[in-house]
Amino acid sequence: MHYSHLLIPTLKEVPAEAEAQSHILLFRAGMIRKLASGIYDYLPLGLRVLRKVEAIVRQEMNRAGAQEVLLPAVQPAELWQESGRWQIYGKELLRFQDRHGRDCCFGPTHEEVITDLVRREVHSYRQLPLNLYQIQVKFRDEIRPRFGLIRGREFIMKDAYSFDIDEAGAEHTYRGMYEAYSRIFRRCGLTFKAVEADTGPIGGSFSHEFMVLAETGEDFLASCLSCDYAANLEKAEVPAMEGGSGPSPEGAPNLVATPGVRTVEEVAAFLMVQPEDIVKTLIYETDLGPVAVLIRGDHEVNEVKVRNLLGVTELLLAGPDRVRELTGAEVGFAGPQGLSIPVYADQAVAALPAMVTGANQTGYHLTGVHPERDLHFAKVADLRQVTEQDPCPRCGGALTILKGIEVGHVFKLGFKYSKALNAKFLDADGEEQFIFMGCYGIGVSRIVAAAIEQGHDADGIIWPLPLAPFQVGLVPINTNDEKTRETAQRLHDEFEAAGLEVLLDDRDERPGVKFKDMDLLGLPLRVVVGPKTLAKNQAEVRQRRSRDVSLVDLDRLLPYVKDLIDQGTP
Ligand SMILES: [Zn+2]
């Protein structure tokens, strides 16, 4: 392929709103352009990378026994009303009406559509199991699309849905998908981790997320240094604490004036105590009314755990007016004593022998509060986020907290959609049963960005070999020199004939410009031909990642480059 024939509008400047390196570099390398907020054009090189991801995903899904389908992007409201999601999905669902005034949406996901297809076509256990997938454009109307392809509004996903006769069958399918996903991300050349994930309001079943490890990731995960345990921070458990809070301090709690002292740090400094001696009282609004949650001053609340414990979907910190109404004090002075709303305590709070809390009186705190003697809890549970100081819940080893970008999710759904849409089959005894479902997503366009978050330097992108738009960039450094031009063209033809993907930079540009662009594009190998090396019948081969440079005889060049690629070196 010739550079001059392709649309590769590279740029020096960085787009104003771009925060993530992948966004900046995809833009500067001329691989994507923004059409509207969270909506992007894929230019020829960007599309080549996307197609490579798709090809790997497709091969591994087919190998795992899944069948490809293509479902419509536009979906009728009736199906979403049947599942109940038309009401609860919120503004992220892009809704509109067709010319007949019928409600429709642009699909952010396809559980309803696929379940509808299967309920119409599958009637017997003999037709199961079934695993159907598609690679398709989806739309989620994010309020704040960010980071380019990482969190756009329009994106490309592989979504698969499995249908089994029972839970054991579904378990088997889930395992198969888990293994297929591991192969997909390995083949993409990504460093990733499969972590236990929260199942959300569906509950009951289990799920795993696949995270590409990157400093710029928005997700946090806890990973054990000694065993296989890894979990999304939302899900990571704190081991159950042994024993109670011990004997209570002498005398009743003390009311102490703490004028204008609100935060944990301010209270600790003012009363000369440690943050772990202070208890934060967080007031939340929920579907079940207001509640208070107690967390030790040096810990962070885990709202997913709180939501799961209470069995609610809505959980919002109460505003200042509501806090005043419920506690009688300004924000910063709420405490558990005498509250008329249910109080939920993290287990580390219930184990404190004496604590400092707000006094529900503006400008005052209480010291010497004992959990058993002075407080009443609706429930004590694990309600906080783990830290690197906590032991692994499985083996007691040390935990490390890492950052990642979620690129895949496998999920055991159960009967949620088959029951809502009445998808049944006849079992071997002729009895009607609901189909047991699973769903499995991969963010195809997000992988393109995640690969860059993991592979880049100050000069540009460093593609993993399997995703690179071309494997080799061929750079003649003086296109006015006939021998250079002819040799470059001959090498290009030979490389292509040998099945290599090669981009020949045939532009009449200075070598510096060509080198800069080649680094920015991130092709794994660069081959430079010029009058100087040609005089010795040689060419220069440079590896983008290691920056290793070798001079190679022209007659050995093709096997040399082929070897590097076959070994997956660059
Ligand atoms: Zn462990």
Side-chain angles (χ1 to χ4, degrees), residues 210-503:
F210 289 78
M211 300 273 197
V212 165
L213 302 181
E215 258 316 296
T216 46
E218 278 190 288
D219 280 298
F220 288 87
L221 49 122
S223 175
C224 178
L225 297 172
S226 311
C227 77
D228 286 343
Y229 180 77
N232 189 311
L233 202 63
E234 291 181 342
K235 165 91 177 172
E237 311 140 40
V238 178
M241 289 179 77
E242 306 285 321
S245 54
S248 54
E250 279 176 30
N254 270 325
L255 188 66
V256 190
T258 51
V261 177
R262 293 160 194 269
T263 67
V264 168
E265 293 71 32
E266 287 165 359
V267 175
F270 188 83
L271 296 176
M272 290 192 290
V273 296
Q274 298 302 313
E276 58 260 41
D277 301 323
I278 298 166
V279 166
K280 297 183 272 197
T281 303
L282 307 167
I283 309 292
Y284 283 103
E285 296 284 5
T286 79
D287 323 353
L288 304 173
V291 300
V293 174
L294 305 186
I295 300 290
R296 226 169 67 180
D298 59 329
H299 289 154
E300 291 300 325
V301 66
N302 182 326
E303 294 188 347
V304 171
K305 290 179 180 177
V306 175
R307 206 174 272 137
N308 288 344
L309 177 78
L310 300 180
V312 296
T313 47
E314 187 193 308
L315 186 80
L316 271 177
L317 273 176
D321 292 344
R322 189 77 169 124
V323 169
R324 207 177 302 116
E325 190 184 321
L326 290 165
T327 70
E330 302 286 330
V331 170
F333 301 98
Q337 233 190 350
L339 280 185
S340 55
I341 56 176
V343 177
Y344 295 87
D346 179 63
Q347 52 178 352
V349 168
L352 283 173
M355 61 180 101
V356 175
T357 71
N360 294 328
Q361 207 177 323
T362 302
Y364 289 90
H365 278 80
L366 288 172
T367 63
V369 177
H370 186 260
E372 278 166 37
R373 185 192 62 191
D374 304 320
L375 302 176
H376 174 71
F377 301 135
K379 198 146 198 179
V380 175
D382 169 20
L383 296 177
R384 68 172 173 93
Q385 283 181 0
V386 299
T387 68
E388 291 191 335
Q389 282 71 50
D390 290 308
C392 166
R394 297 289 142 76
C395 77
L399 288 181
T400 177
I401 310 280
L402 303 168
K403 278 176 163 182
I405 301 164
E406 184 192 339
V407 288
H409 199 167
V410 292
F411 203 107
K412 218 165 87 183
L413 270 179
F415 299 117
K416 183 180 162 80
Y417 294 94
S418 50
K419 279 192 174 157
L421 277 78
N422 202 31
K424 291 179 178 170
F425 67 99
L426 288 179
D427 68 14
D429 302 322
E431 300 280 329
E432 266 198 337
Q433 307 280 358
F434 285 110
I435 305 178
F436 202 107
M437 288 175 61
C439 67
Y440 317 91
I442 287 184
V444 173
S445 45
R446 186 182 276 191
I447 286 178
V448 174
I452 298 175
E453 293 298 331
Q454 210 165 60
H456 65 267
D457 62 15
D459 297 327
I461 301 169
I462 306 175
W463 289 112
L465 181 65
L467 303 190
F470 291 91
Q471 298 161 327
V472 185
L474 189 54
V475 184
I477 51 173
N478 183 354
T479 40
N480 294 320
D481 178 61
E482 200 181 320
K483 191 179 175 200
T484 301
R485 209 174 52 234
E486 280 174 3
T487 309
Q489 185 59 49
R490 180 172 56 79
L491 289 172
H492 167 270
D493 296 347
E494 280 175 21
F495 280 25
E496 274 199 345
L500 299 182
E501 298 168 38
V502 52
L503 178 66

Side-chain angles (χ1 to χ4, degrees), residues 11-20 23-25 27-28:
L11 289 168
K12 284 198 187 71
E13 63 273 17
V14 172
E17 82 282 9
E19 301 163 82
H23 189 185
I24 294 168
L25 291 173
F27 184 81
R28 286 192 50 217

Side-chain angles (χ1 to χ4, degrees), residues 3 8 10 25-26 28-31 45 49 52 451-452 455-473 501 503 514-526 542-547 570:
Y3 199 119
I8 312 176
T10 59
L25 291 173
L26 281 166
R28 286 192 50 217
M31 296 188 185
L45 290 198
V49 179
K52 290 201 164 184
I452 298 175
H456 65 267
D457 62 15
D459 297 327
I461 301 169
I462 306 175
W463 289 112
L465 181 65
L467 303 190
F470 291 91
Q471 298 161 327
V472 185
E501 298 168 38
L503 178 66
K514 292 184 171 186
F515 291 161
K516 269 209 157 58
D517 277 341
M518 229 13 119
D519 276 348
L520 181 59
L521 300 185
L523 309 187
L525 291 173
R526 186 183 80 190
R542 180 171 174 272
Q543 300 187 28
R544 175 69 180 87
R545 190 178 298 272
S546 66
R547 295 168 181 260

